[in-house]
Amino acid sequence: GAVVSQHPSWVICKSGTSVKIECRSLDFQATTMFWYRQFPKQSLMLMATSNEGSKATYEQGVEKDKFLINHASLTLSTLTVTSAHPEDSSFYICSARVGPAVAETQYFGPGTRLLVL
Amino acid sequence: GEDVEQSLFLSVREGDSSVINCTYTDSSSTYLYWYKQEPGAGLQLLTYIFSNMDMKQDQRLTVLLNKKDKHLSLRIADTQTGDSAIYFCAERPLSGGYNKLIFGAGTRLAVHP
């Protein structure tokens, strides 16, 4: 149980285009999902917390107009990188929270590698 | 502040035990986690420990927590080549409203014959 999928697994796009990444919880409902970004050989940095039915909460320094998050259902959150530039190239990983707030565990998706040319 | 530190690299011989160490700063952290990341993949939850525990064992994995020193370790017994990966330590501080995980930079474990 607690499987999280992401689509696509990798994407190459031209500078200036927008890219949408999907995160799905396959066998459970997730009211809260998280979006992380990982640069090569570095750790994960939390970008935003996605809450079903409400606006996402962004971490300091993350542009909410550039990284649009939509959590329209209990099993799907999407991250749209708008007007992508080469510096947005990274590995984007989502996770979904399972369990009550105090005892929660996060299960991670396999990640989406974005390359902006 | 929130900071998690790990050594960056560990090399062990197949069959030996591996010990990966981690220090964290936020004493309010209720849960501490170990995740494994294989090349090009997301993170796999290996195990976690509640802050009122000193030790947790799960098959080949043993987690030790020294809350006084804010030190966490992961011991992998009988290390195999399939254990080669990056291991991330993470804390979940109370200041994050239970939502936020703070990750270390990851320890790259290399297992050689």
Side-chain angles (χ1 to χ4, degrees):
Chain A
V3 177
V4 177
S5 71
Q6 280 184 243
H7 178 80
S9 55
W10 60 269
V11 57
I12 301 173
C13 69
K14 293 182 179 179
S15 186
T17 61
S18 294
V19 175
K20 180 185 282 188
I21 303 170
E22 293 185 349
C23 177
R24 292 183 185 272
S25 57
L26 296 186
D27 49 1
F28 65 100
Q29 293 182 332
T31 54
T32 303
M33 292 183 174
F34 304 90
W35 287 96
Y36 293 84
R37 185 174 180 176
Q38 185 182 32
F39 290 104
K41 296 186 180 181
Q42 294 188 27
S43 188
L44 280 74
M45 298 300 295
L46 179 65
M47 298 175 65
T49 302
S50 171
N51 299 298
E52 188 266 338
S54 63
K55 291 183 179 180
T57 304
Y58 290 82
E59 294 299 301
Q60 193 172 7
V62 178
E63 298 177 60
K64 61 181 179 181
D65 294 331
K66 180 164 186 63
F67 299 100
L68 300 178
I69 291 173
N70 184 279
H71 195 151
S73 78
L74 288 172
T75 59
L76 173 65
S77 174
T78 60
L79 168 69
T80 302
V81 183
T82 62
S83 186
H85 288 95
E87 58 265 30
D88 298 325
S89 299
S90 190
F91 193 48
Y92 292 87
I93 306 177
C94 73
S95 71
R97 189 175 83 186
V98 177
V102 175
E104 72 170 47
T105 301
Q106 288 187 27
Y107 290 89
F108 286 78
T112 296
R113 193 166 298 281
L114 171 63
L115 177 61
V116 184
L117 302 177
Chain B
E2 304 165 343
D3 194 17
V4 178
E5 294 189 357
Q6 301 177 238
S7 53
L8 294 182
F9 188 74
L10 177 66
S11 177
V12 299
R13 186 175 298 177
E14 190 175 12
D16 288 351
S17 292
S18 308
V19 179
I20 303 171
N21 294 301
C22 167
T23 57
Y24 61 98
T25 55
D26 196 322
S27 58
S28 74
S29 291
T30 53
Y31 283 88
L32 296 127
Y33 302 83
W34 284 104
Y35 284 88
K36 175 183 180 183
Q37 185 181 36
E38 298 187 19
L43 272 67
Q44 172 194 352
L45 176 65
L46 283 179
T47 187
Y48 62 91
I49 188 167
F50 188 51
S51 59
N52 69 352
M53 298 170 65
D54 298 325
M55 185 183 84
K56 180 178 180 181
Q57 187 158 0
D58 184 3
Q59 299 182 336
R60 292 192 297 126
L61 304 178
T62 303
V63 178
L64 294 178
L65 175 61
N66 182 329
K67 198 172 179 182
K68 174 177 171 289
D69 295 337
K70 300 190 188 70
H71 182 266
L72 184 73
S73 69
L74 173 69
R75 178 177 180 270
I76 305 173
D78 187 25
T79 311
Q80 302 297 308
T81 54
D83 295 324
S84 295
I86 301 175
Y87 291 80
F88 290 94
C89 166
E91 63 170 341
R92 185 154 66 90
L94 178 62
S95 59
Y98 298 115
N99 273 344
K100 193 173 179 177
L101 284 180
I102 309 298
F103 286 88
T107 299
R108 187 177 296 271
L109 174 65
V111 183
H112 57 87

